[in-house]
Amino acid sequence: MQEFLYRNGTILTMDEARGLYAEALLVRDGRIAAVGPEAVVAAEARSPEVIDLHGATLMPSFLDPHSHLSSYAMNLQQIPMEGAASYAEIVARVQRYLAENDIPADRWVTAYGYDHNALAEHRPPDRTVLDAAAPRNPLVLQHVSGHTGVFNTRALQALGLDAATPDPAGGRFARAADGSLTGYAEENAFIETIKRIPQPDGRQLLGCYRKAQQCYAAYGITTVQDGLVIDQMAPLYGGLCAADTLFLDTVAYVDFRACDALLTTFADNLGQYRHHFKIGGYKTFLDGSPQARTAWMRTPYLPAPGADEPAGYRGYPALQDEELFAQLCRALREGRQVLAHCNGDAAAQQYLDQYARARAAVPGAPDIRPVMIHAQFLDRDQLPALADLGMTPSFFVAHVYHWGDVHIRNVGLERAARISPTASALAAGLRFTFHQDAPVIQPNMLETIWCAVNRVTRAGVPLGEGERISTLEALKAVTVNAAWQYFEEDRKGTLAPGKLADLVALSADPLKTPAPALRDIRVLETWKEGRSVFRA
């Protein structure tokens, strides 16, 4: 038996019913045994190891409501492009990587995280730029959103893509005046193509997954998500489980279009953890990225100089109504949760309409707690429908800071100010969560809380001041509400007897920290079921 008695700090329980604060916490064999006044808690202990918090704040660890663990892990061995400011810098970073790592000719190379909005050229590069960077290697450059990318000539040839390749539904390959491919692809044209790229060595990947989990734990997270898992990844997850590589709880959502092998292989992981891995349900995409101008909107984007877009361009859907309806009916019949990627308000409306239709078509189906992922441009007039359907919006609220200025250029200040309408969602009685869609940005929960409370863009522009919420409500989005989203409210999200000892120690109490200073709070230590998994 292992016991730990936490004392001499602020203990923030997040349990409003029993009291937000306590003096001490007792952990026994990975679960919370007691929480409350120190004298009472200490009396419950037998032979505890005392953990002196030295004035730090102990609270429930954070749950990640949406990210991509596998992409985050694989990106650790890719060429980082965050902050690249020009084509020349992209070329230089690739060439430096090839030289420093002695990459042989013909080996696939992936670069990740460029943002055309930050480039001096203000548009994606084409294959000729990437040919200059890697003339002897197939190279793919992924946009920070994960929804678009560029292939060099060798990559196009290796994948069998040429002028005769048709555009898939819900995506497109950009073409030059003569019909040849420029190398740029977006949405389904890109997402389905990169699935065909050869995967790295398995042993190397196991190390990447360990490192990725350590990164999440450093942000105070003990439950992570792999937000799109396909059949080709079944052997990978089999290896991760066999080697007990996963030390954080990992919830996977399988692609409707490629999931039969996963559902068979991991039948014992459906809805329950084995080796810290469970399949939580299905994932589907309904549109693209607002910063890449592929999100599906009800009103047109503002014109963008040099953009190859028709008049009145509003983005486009990734799925037609009937395919989405069939997917939702399947999930309801099987009683499995659905996460639907919706950035634009037109995509949000499609999800609302088809889920209502599917629920009527499958009477007696259980509550699967459907989730609307990102919900960037979900608008106020759509909130009552979410409440009626029991749908949870998981807001990518950090967009306010990271891409708020881009959204102002793309749709105007008035519309941009209504992204992630959290205060309106609260008023509508909705329970919502927050996420970072890592590796799009780092899984920094404290920065996200700062974004939700302050709502200021990178350029310092207040964006939607009326949608600001309290620090407590922001914290609930990544603890209490996140546990509910995962059907795990009985074991996570608050500090209460019987729940898992998934804990984080912070350098300050968020509830007593001035709003502008919230992102300055540091994670000091993270525990998963009583075991320390990160210490600063």
Side-chain angles (χ1 to χ4, degrees):
M1 181 185 69
Q2 281 190 320
E3 283 190 327
F4 301 96
L5 177 63
Y6 294 82
R7 59 172 301 279
N8 191 30
T10 298
I11 297 179
L12 176 58
T13 69
M14 295 303 298
D15 189 339
E16 294 181 275
R18 297 177 180 173
L20 281 173
Y21 289 100
E23 294 179 348
L25 179 89
L26 179 66
V27 171
R28 180 180 297 132
D29 292 335
R31 289 186 176 270
I32 297 170
V35 59
E38 184 170 347
V40 175
V41 173
E44 292 282 328
R46 299 166 191 173
S47 55
E49 176 183 340
V50 176
I51 307 294
D52 190 333
L53 293 171
H54 297 289
T57 294
L58 187 75
M59 64 174 290
S61 60
F62 304 129
L63 293 86
D64 159 37
H66 179 66
S67 72
H68 301 271
L69 174 63
S70 289
S71 294
Y72 192 95
M74 293 177 187
N75 281 4
L76 295 174
Q77 57 185 6
Q78 296 174 355
I79 308 171
M81 286 294 165
E82 182 180 0
S86 67
Y87 293 171
E89 187 172 350
I90 289 173
V91 171
R93 291 192 190 187
V94 172
Q95 291 179 337
R96 184 167 58 249
Y97 174 86
L98 295 175
E100 291 177 351
N101 294 277
D102 196 23
I103 303 298
D106 298 323
R107 178 182 292 178
W108 274 88
V109 179
T110 300
Y112 182 87
Y114 95 97
D115 187 350
H116 68 286
N117 295 293
L119 298 178
E121 295 84 357
H122 298 298
R123 62 182 185 279
D126 62 18
R127 62 185 171 87
T128 63
V129 175
L130 301 193
D131 289 347
R136 301 189 304 155
N137 298 84
L139 169 65
V140 57
L141 173 67
Q142 296 190 55
H143 189 266
V144 65
S145 68
H147 284 256
T148 71
V150 187
F151 301 95
N152 73 350
T153 299
R154 280 186 173 263
L156 292 173
Q157 292 169 344
L159 294 165
L161 301 174
D162 57 29
T165 302
D167 289 344
R172 74 178 184 99
F173 294 101
R175 302 171 193 273
D178 63 0
S180 62
L181 300 185
T182 69
Y184 173 81
E186 63 187 31
E187 299 308 328
N188 285 338
F190 179 71
I191 293 167
E192 295 302 316
T193 299
I194 59 172
K195 293 176 183 177
R196 297 162 49 201
I197 295 175
Q199 295 300 307
D201 174 77
R203 288 172 297 178
Q204 186 179 10
L205 272 179
L206 292 183
C208 289
Y209 275 83
R210 292 189 190 96
K211 186 176 179 181
Q213 291 174 91
Q214 290 164 359
C215 292
Y216 278 85
Y219 287 111
I221 297 168
T222 58
T223 299
V224 304
Q225 186 180 118
D226 206 341
L228 185 68
V229 179
I230 59 177
D231 274 345
Q232 294 94 316
M233 297 169 67
L236 170 61
Y237 264 103
L240 291 170
C241 291
D244 279 324
T245 302
L246 300 176
F247 58 86
L248 303 182
D249 284 347
T250 302
V251 190
Y253 287 83
V254 300
D255 186 343
F256 273 107
R257 294 174 169 177
C259 62
D260 291 341
L262 281 162
L263 297 179
T264 300
T265 302
F266 295 100
D268 292 339
N269 299 75
L270 294 175
Q272 62 182 359
Y273 292 104
R274 293 183 71 248
H275 302 285
H276 288 290
F277 177 66
K278 83 170 180 178
I279 293 178
Y282 292 110
K283 172 70 179 297
T284 192
F285 281 88
L286 304 191
D287 71 342
S289 157
Q291 66 268 38
R293 297 173 65 94
T294 56
W296 186 25
M297 309 289 282
R298 294 189 293 185
T299 54
Y301 290 93
L302 297 177
D308 180 21
E309 298 168 352
Y313 175 74
R314 299 185 296 115
Y316 49 85
L319 286 184
Q320 298 303 306
D321 287 351
E322 290 309 311
E323 182 175 4
L324 175 59
F325 172 69
Q327 290 178 349
L328 297 175
C329 285
R330 174 179 178 175
L332 285 164
R333 286 194 300 268
E334 297 173 359
R336 294 195 181 119
Q337 191 177 40
V338 175
L339 273 57
H341 167 116
C342 302
N343 264 313
D345 48 7
Q349 193 61 50
Q350 183 189 38
Y351 189 25
L352 292 169
D353 292 344
Q354 297 309 314
Y355 185 71
R357 180 184 170 202
R359 202 168 68 167
V362 187
D367 179 9
I368 62 172
R369 297 185 186 176
V371 181
M372 182 181 290
I373 293 294
H374 305 327
Q376 276 303 300
F377 285 85
L378 174 73
D379 216 343
R380 294 164 184 163
D381 66 300
Q382 296 173 310
L383 297 175
L386 272 85
D388 291 344
L389 294 170
M391 189 175 287
T392 300
S394 186
F395 293 116
F396 193 167
V397 72
H399 259 253
V400 170
Y401 175 73
H402 287 276
W403 289 283
D405 302 300
V406 174
H407 298 331
I408 292 170
R409 291 198 300 269
N410 281 339
V411 299
L413 177 60
E414 190 275 334
R415 182 62 188 93
R418 302 202 306 276
I419 66 170
S420 297
T422 50
S424 296
L426 276 176
L430 286 169
R431 190 192 319 247
F432 55 78
T433 63
F434 293 153
H435 64 268
Q436 297 82 26
D437 202 21
V440 174
I441 62 172
Q442 291 297 312
N444 187 339
M445 291 295 182
L446 290 166
E447 180 193 62
T448 286
I449 289 162
W450 174 86
C451 290
V453 173
N454 291 278
R455 290 189 69 105
V456 177
T457 74
R458 194 186 292 269
V461 178
L463 193 63
E465 295 166 279
E467 294 295 348
R468 289 172 176 165
I469 58 173
S470 70
T471 301
L472 176 61
E473 292 296 342
L475 284 171
K476 286 167 64 175
V478 294
T479 55
V480 179
N481 296 352
W484 187 89
Q485 177 184 305
Y486 281 130
F487 292 85
E488 297 185 42
E489 65 270 27
D490 61 335
R491 59 205 307 260
K492 296 176 183 176
T494 63
L495 302 183
K499 292 194 173 185
L500 296 179
D502 291 356
L503 315 169
V504 62
L506 303 178
S507 62
D509 179 357
L511 297 186
K512 297 176 182 176
T513 299
L518 284 167
R519 64 175 171 178
D520 298 327
I521 296 174
R522 294 177 294 112
V523 173
L524 303 177
E525 191 163 3
T526 305
W527 294 266
K528 175 67 180 127
E529 295 173 39
R531 181 173 72 90
S532 179
V533 291
F534 168 78
R535 182 177 296 167

